[in-house]
Amino acid sequence: MSGTRIKTRKRNIAAPLDPSAFADAVVQIYLDNAGDLELVAKSLESSDLNFSRYGDTFFEVVFTGGRTQPGTTKPDEGERHPYSVIDCEPKREAILPSVLYIQKILRRRPFLIKNLENVMRKFLQSLELFEENERKKLAIFTALAFSQKLSGLPPETVMQPLLKDNLVAKGLVLTFVTDFFREYLIDNSLDDLISLLKRGKMEDNLLDFFPSAKRSAEGFSEHFTKEGLVALVEYNEKKMFESKLKEMKSALTTQIAEETDITEVIETVKQRVKDTKIPDIEVVRILWDVLMDAVQWSGKNQQQNANSALRQVKTWAELLNAFCTSGKLELELMYKVQIQCYEDAKLMKLFPEIIRSLYDQDVLAEDTILLWFRKGANPKGRQTFVKALEPFVNWLEEAEEEE
């Protein structure tokens, strides 16, 4: 055995952790280049600094000018430079160069994105430790970072840490996101912002940014209107309106499926209309959709489909009658029937029968049917349906003449 060489596995011997020496070296590069970020980036590129080990420390130096104490934003011992994000003017033209500089660094060292996430998360969770104008700088930086599509920075990294109760309660988060939204919308559309919020899992929770005392639809509208973000207010109002429609539709669907007593269903709808201020015209549309969605349609048997649809109309006529309270609303119901029969092949031939049934059940008045026949505005399938309804209209006109 004396002549046999035994192979031993080489082990990586870890260098001692020394983030302070790393930070001082980065600071010195900033100082040597008088804060010229182009030159700083070149010097960093040619250096042999261990970015993979000290990535978090690097971004602390970028943001604050030096190392920060663990768990805080307070400066740690060591060298500092005056060219950090926090030292800039709170204006986009002052902060954008830092964003582009970081973009350049990340292109050469993409693994550093995780360190950027870590440091941004730490700072955003500690907003109360920054001065007001420093928080504004962070908001502007964050908006520009997403606007410049900073090498895969995930929105949830930024959005979720903001939801700490104490930060929200103090109003710090609302101020931050207001600055963020305003800055982001300079270069991007509202759709871009909504897409960003979706990816940050915040699109449906915008009110969570508000302190509890202001957390209402009215509070949202008042705040962002005052801040000049009217498009965001309009978007939120539309979204809340759609949510109310969806909730009402869901409640109605359950009651129809359970064959709840009509008077109870009518009361439910009335109460929801009172609570949500849904316009009457939307109520009529929802009622028809829900009633037709509840029908058990046959794949091929046209007569069975006709019977099912007409039975549904007859069964729930009282419900439709309770909310088709004017000629305008009756006409809207006719348009709704027209569109559904046009878009659903199995109902195409049922239009005159459904209209006749709605007339027989006193949901539609003769005047409404004649108005639709003579001047109806919706073009979908109109020629076909006018022709199909002609015998019934002739009958109505003859009956009117006889009277």
Side-chain angles (χ1 to χ4, degrees):
M1 295 293 290
S2 58
T4 306
R5 293 179 63 189
I6 299 172
K7 289 185 179 179
T8 56
R9 183 180 293 170
K10 289 182 180 177
R11 286 179 296 176
N12 289 327
I13 299 170
L17 291 173
D18 188 8
S20 58
F22 175 88
D24 288 347
V26 174
V27 168
Q28 194 57 52
I29 289 173
Y30 270 88
L31 295 173
D32 290 346
N33 293 285
D36 184 322
L37 296 179
E38 284 281 332
L39 297 176
V40 171
K42 284 179 183 175
S43 298
L44 290 172
E45 181 59 36
S46 61
S47 73
D48 56 359
L49 292 170
N50 192 345
F51 285 92
S52 58
R53 172 164 286 161
Y54 302 119
D56 284 15
T57 302
F58 171 68
F59 284 112
E60 288 176 6
V61 174
V62 171
F63 276 101
T64 68
R67 282 183 69 211
T68 58
Q69 293 176 16
T72 76
T73 60
K74 292 178 182 176
D76 206 349
E77 294 177 2
E79 298 294 323
R80 310 196 74 73
H81 71 83
Y83 309 110
S84 69
V85 174
I86 292 301
D87 288 312
C88 289
E89 286 287 307
K91 298 174 184 173
R92 63 187 284 121
E93 56 269 25
I95 294 171
L96 182 58
S98 291
V99 177
L100 300 176
Y101 156 74
I102 291 173
Q103 180 77 289
K104 189 176 287 187
I105 299 288
L106 289 174
R107 281 184 188 137
R108 301 307 295 261
R109 295 184 171 88
F111 61 87
L112 283 174
I113 190 67
K114 206 70 196 164
N115 303 104
L116 177 60
E117 284 181 48
N118 294 341
V119 173
M120 287 188 74
R121 189 184 297 115
K122 180 174 97 166
F123 287 165
L124 295 177
Q125 285 175 334
S126 312
L127 280 180
E128 75 271 28
L129 302 178
F130 290 96
E131 300 293 327
E132 185 179 348
N133 75 327
E134 292 175 341
R135 290 194 289 270
K136 184 168 186 174
K137 292 169 195 176
L138 285 175
I140 293 171
F141 174 89
T142 306
L144 290 172
F146 285 120
S147 199
Q148 295 293 324
K149 298 180 174 55
L150 198 63
S151 292
L153 184 68
E156 59 267 32
T157 298
V158 175
M159 307 294 175
Q160 297 304 319
L162 290 171
L163 296 178
K164 282 180 69 176
D165 290 344
N166 63 318
L167 297 180
V168 173
K170 291 174 183 174
L172 300 180
V173 173
L174 182 55
T175 303
F176 180 92
V177 297
T178 302
D179 288 334
F180 172 82
F181 292 162
R182 190 188 292 112
E183 190 63 41
Y184 186 80
L185 287 169
I186 291 173
D187 294 326
N188 302 276
S189 68
L190 182 67
D191 287 343
D192 293 328
L193 177 59
I194 300 309
S195 173
L196 190 67
L197 291 168
K198 276 182 182 173
R199 287 186 286 128
K201 300 180 174 62
M202 284 307 306
E203 184 213 6
D204 297 323
N205 309 97
L206 293 180
L207 282 177
D208 290 353
F209 291 136
F210 282 71
S212 54
K214 296 180 180 178
R215 197 172 294 165
S216 66
E218 295 75 19
F220 186 100
S221 298
E222 184 183 334
H223 173 77
F224 284 114
T225 300
K226 183 180 168 188
E227 295 293 339
L229 296 171
V230 177
L232 186 62
V233 173
E234 291 170 350
Y235 165 80
N236 193 58
E237 287 174 350
K238 183 184 174 197
K239 188 165 181 61
M240 290 183 72
F241 179 68
E242 288 170 353
S243 176
K244 287 173 185 175
L245 293 185
K246 194 174 177 182
E247 286 171 14
M248 183 170 171
K249 204 168 182 177
S250 175
L252 259 173
T253 299
T254 302
Q255 287 190 313
I256 300 292
E258 293 173 353
E259 298 181 355
T260 306
D261 184 77
I262 286 186
T263 52
E264 189 180 328
V265 178
I266 291 171
E267 281 309 307
T268 300
V269 176
K270 283 182 176 176
Q271 190 58 48
R272 281 190 172 268
V273 170
K274 184 180 174 185
D275 293 343
T276 59
K277 299 180 175 60
I278 293 174
D280 294 340
I281 206 161
E282 290 293 344
V283 175
V284 170
R285 290 169 183 163
I286 288 172
L287 289 177
W288 184 256
D289 281 342
V290 170
L291 290 177
M292 290 299 104
D293 287 347
V295 174
Q296 299 295 314
W297 301 107
S298 163
K300 296 176 182 176
N301 192 324
Q302 191 66 19
Q303 190 55 49
Q304 194 175 324
N305 284 333
N307 293 340
S308 298
L310 298 176
R311 192 183 313 116
Q312 189 79 329
V313 169
K314 190 173 181 180
T315 302
W316 296 98
E318 190 182 337
L319 174 63
L320 291 167
N321 221 335
F323 295 96
C324 287
T325 52
S326 69
K328 182 182 176 184
L329 294 172
E330 289 177 22
L331 192 60
E332 181 58 36
L333 178 60
M334 281 199 74
Y335 286 143
K336 192 70 187 162
V337 176
Q338 175 189 344
I339 291 166
Q340 186 171 21
C341 289
Y342 174 76
E343 292 177 349
D344 191 335
K346 65 178 173 289
L347 299 180
M348 194 81 175
K349 295 179 181 176
L350 294 187
F351 180 77
E353 294 181 65
I354 291 173
I355 297 302
R356 175 69 189 253
S357 180
L358 289 167
Y359 171 78
D360 289 342
Q361 303 298 324
D362 292 327
V363 177
L364 294 178
E366 180 181 327
D367 288 348
T368 304
I369 296 169
L370 293 175
L371 178 63
W372 178 92
F373 186 79
R374 292 165 185 161
K375 297 181 179 178
N378 196 304
K380 291 190 172 180
R382 178 165 169 75
Q383 281 184 306
T384 303
F385 295 140
V386 164
K387 191 173 180 182
L389 199 61
E390 195 169 2
F392 177 53
V393 169
N394 289 339
W395 178 82
L396 284 176
E397 290 174 332
E398 287 166 13
E400 191 176 19
E401 284 171 15
E402 286 176 14
E403 286 176 15

XYZ file of all heavy atoms in Angstrom, residues 248-260 290:
104
model
N -74.221 40.335 -6.496
C -75.673 40.275 -6.647
C -76.077 39.097 -7.526
O -77.040 38.375 -7.226
C -76.180 41.586 -7.247
C -77.693 41.654 -7.384
S -78.196 43.322 -7.820
C -79.917 43.040 -8.164
N -75.327 38.898 -8.603
C -75.607 37.796 -9.518
C -75.460 36.457 -8.803
O -76.274 35.544 -8.972
C -74.639 37.877 -10.703
C -75.132 37.199 -11.952
C -74.270 37.576 -13.155
C -74.807 36.932 -14.420
N -74.039 37.319 -15.611
N -74.420 36.350 -7.989
C -74.165 35.115 -7.248
C -75.293 34.815 -6.260
O -75.779 33.683 -6.166
C -72.822 35.251 -6.511
O -72.588 34.135 -5.702
N -75.726 35.853 -5.526
C -76.809 35.665 -4.547
C -78.106 35.266 -5.237
O -78.831 34.364 -4.782
C -77.009 36.964 -3.750
N -78.380 35.903 -6.366
C -79.593 35.587 -7.126
C -79.556 34.168 -7.680
O -80.556 33.448 -7.635
C -79.732 36.564 -8.290
C -80.713 37.727 -8.126
C -80.585 38.671 -9.296
C -82.139 37.217 -8.004
N -78.387 33.791 -8.208
C -78.219 32.445 -8.776
C -78.555 31.386 -7.738
O -79.250 30.399 -8.024
C -76.777 32.257 -9.288
O -76.525 33.218 -10.312
C -76.566 30.864 -9.849
N -78.072 31.599 -6.514
C -78.342 30.648 -5.422
C -79.833 30.585 -5.128
O -80.410 29.493 -4.995
C -77.578 31.083 -4.146
O -76.181 31.139 -4.448
C -77.813 30.088 -3.014
N -80.479 31.743 -5.048
C -81.915 31.758 -4.715
C -82.756 31.122 -5.820
O -83.712 30.395 -5.526
C -82.367 33.200 -4.473
C -81.860 33.772 -3.152
C -82.508 35.102 -2.813
O -82.592 35.989 -3.648
N -82.975 35.234 -1.586
N -82.388 31.381 -7.070
C -83.141 30.787 -8.193
C -82.970 29.272 -8.191
O -83.935 28.519 -8.362
C -82.668 31.368 -9.552
C -82.857 32.881 -9.615
C -83.356 30.667 -10.715
C -84.260 33.369 -9.644
N -81.726 28.831 -7.977
C -81.444 27.388 -7.961
C -82.199 26.695 -6.831
O -82.663 25.555 -6.975
C -79.943 27.156 -7.814
N -82.345 27.385 -5.711
C -83.037 26.801 -4.541
C -84.547 27.025 -4.597
O -85.276 26.655 -3.676
C -82.472 27.409 -3.257
C -81.021 27.000 -2.999
C -80.401 27.726 -1.809
O -81.073 28.647 -1.263
O -79.271 27.371 -1.428
N -84.999 27.648 -5.707
C -86.435 27.943 -5.911
C -87.030 28.670 -4.709
O -88.118 28.351 -4.216
C -87.208 26.656 -6.222
C -86.728 26.000 -7.511
C -87.501 24.735 -7.858
O -88.339 24.314 -7.044
O -87.257 24.188 -8.942
N -86.285 29.672 -4.250
C -86.737 30.509 -3.129
C -88.029 31.214 -3.525
O -88.250 31.535 -4.692
C -85.651 31.558 -2.798
O -84.420 30.877 -2.585
C -86.005 32.366 -1.560
N -79.388 35.709 -15.083
C -79.476 34.670 -14.042
C -80.602 33.676 -14.363
O -80.424 32.461 -14.237
C -79.689 35.307 -12.644
C -80.019 34.241 -11.612
C -78.446 36.072 -12.212
